[in-house]
């Protein structure tokens, strides 16, 4: 017996009955159970592995175009139905490059502040750097029901406010597939995703 996708019969405990019938004898019933063990595998894939904010080049000057999406795909090539989720983490900070405008502005502000403080006889006040908004991400739905021999999709939505001016920045996320039954192996269970954040006015141009 088989189910969709070419997998073997679904893993479960099945009851069966055997009847013995012979002339001039009562009918005999014997009941038993057959346990089908799990077999097969689950393949995990993130599509695409590299994404951009904004996703579409025709809206790259739109301040509100600050999100992108990845598709998280489970291909359940096993005979076991189970639940799965994806754990996402920010695994590597981008290599920070100096924004020339911020450096110049901060330098000018600092000199003006020190000059005024010197004239007023006040102690210098440490210069505070502008806060950089953090990367936000969400997996929808949080859990998925993986049917035997079929594809199941989740959506990873990431959001990052884009700076007005600078160079394209690269951020990295790690997506790890988690299932509730370890008897079925998950292929490619951990993948690294790249996110390129393009400023409204990019000094490095738009990556292709």
């Amino acid at each position: 017996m088989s189910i969709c996708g070419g997998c073997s019969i679904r893993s479960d405990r099945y009851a069966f009955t055997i009847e013995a019938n012979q002339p001039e004898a009562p009918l005999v019933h014997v009941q038993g159970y057959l346990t089908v063990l799990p077999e097969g595998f689950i393949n995990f894939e993130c599509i695409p592995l590299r994404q951009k904010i904004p996703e579409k080049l025709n809206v790259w000057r739109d301040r509100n175009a600050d999100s992108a999406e990845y598709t998280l795909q489970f291909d359940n090539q096993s005979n076991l139905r189970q639940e799965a989720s994806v754990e996402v983490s920010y695994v590597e900070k981008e290599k920070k490059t100096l924004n020339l405008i911020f450096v110049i502005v901060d330098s000018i502000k600092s000199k003006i502040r020190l000059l005024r403080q010197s004239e007023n006889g006040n102690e210098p006040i440490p210069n505070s750097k502008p806060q950089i908004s953090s990367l936000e991400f969400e997996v929808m739905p949080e859990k998925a029901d993986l049917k035997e021999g079929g594809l199941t999709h989740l959506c990873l939505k990431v959001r990052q406010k884009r700076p007005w001016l600078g160079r394209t920045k690269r951020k990295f996320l790690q997506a790890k597939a988690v299932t509730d039954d370890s008897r079925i192996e998950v292929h490619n269970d951990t993948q690294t995703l790249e996110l390129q954040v393009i400023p409204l006015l990019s000094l490095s141009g738009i990556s292709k």
Side-chain angles (χ1 to χ4, degrees):
M1 299 177 64
S2 64
I3 59 174
C4 61
C7 300
S8 57
I9 189 170
R10 180 178 178 178
S11 175
D12 207 337
R13 188 168 181 254
Y14 297 89
F16 64 88
T17 301
I18 299 177
E19 295 183 354
N21 187 11
Q22 56 183 334
E24 300 180 358
L27 186 64
V28 178
H29 299 269
V30 177
Q31 188 174 17
Y33 294 92
L34 174 66
T35 300
V36 178
L37 299 177
E39 65 174 357
F41 64 92
I42 296 173
N43 189 62
F44 178 59
E45 184 177 4
C46 299
I47 307 170
L49 289 175
R50 177 185 293 176
Q51 189 58 285
K52 300 175 184 177
I53 292 181
E55 290 183 302
K56 299 179 180 179
L57 295 183
N58 60 352
V59 296
W60 69 281
R61 288 192 178 183
D62 182 1
R63 181 65 175 172
N64 295 320
D66 59 0
S67 64
E69 293 183 356
Y70 299 84
T71 297
L72 310 177
Q73 176 177 283
F74 288 90
D75 184 5
N76 186 9
Q77 292 299 314
S78 76
N79 64 345
L80 183 64
R81 186 170 184 168
Q82 58 178 313
E83 281 191 344
S85 60
V86 179
E87 295 179 351
V88 180
S89 57
Y90 184 30
V91 296
E92 182 179 344
K93 292 184 178 180
E94 63 193 33
K95 295 180 179 179
K96 296 182 179 179
T97 57
L98 292 178
N99 186 310
L100 296 180
I101 300 300
F102 284 158
V103 171
I104 294 174
V105 171
D106 285 346
S107 177
I108 294 174
K109 287 182 178 180
S110 178
K111 290 181 180 179
I112 294 175
R113 185 183 299 107
L114 291 175
L115 180 62
R116 289 177 176 176
Q117 291 167 350
S118 176
E119 293 175 349
N120 297 330
N122 297 328
E123 292 294 327
I125 301 175
N127 183 28
S128 59
K129 297 182 179 180
Q131 296 293 324
I132 301 177
S133 59
S134 60
L135 178 66
E136 300 176 358
F137 46 86
E138 181 183 9
V139 178
M140 301 175 292
E142 293 184 0
K143 290 188 177 182
D145 183 17
L146 306 186
K147 297 181 180 179
E148 313 87 26
L151 296 176
T152 303
H153 299 95
L154 287 79
C155 176
L156 168 60
K157 185 171 184 177
V158 295
R159 188 171 183 270
Q160 172 68 65
K161 284 294 184 183
R162 300 159 59 204
W164 283 100
L165 183 64
R167 297 182 181 275
T168 298
K169 298 182 179 181
R170 300 165 64 208
K171 295 177 178 289
F172 298 91
L173 297 170
Q174 185 179 82
K176 180 177 177 57
V178 179
T179 57
D180 60 1
D181 196 320
S182 60
R183 294 176 296 174
I184 296 297
E185 182 181 3
V186 180
H187 294 176
N188 308 311
D189 66 333
T190 303
Q191 298 190 33
T192 300
L193 308 177
E194 179 181 337
L195 177 67
Q196 296 182 359
V197 182
I198 304 173
L200 292 167
L201 299 175
S202 178
L203 298 178
S204 57
I206 300 176
S207 303
K208 295 183 179 179

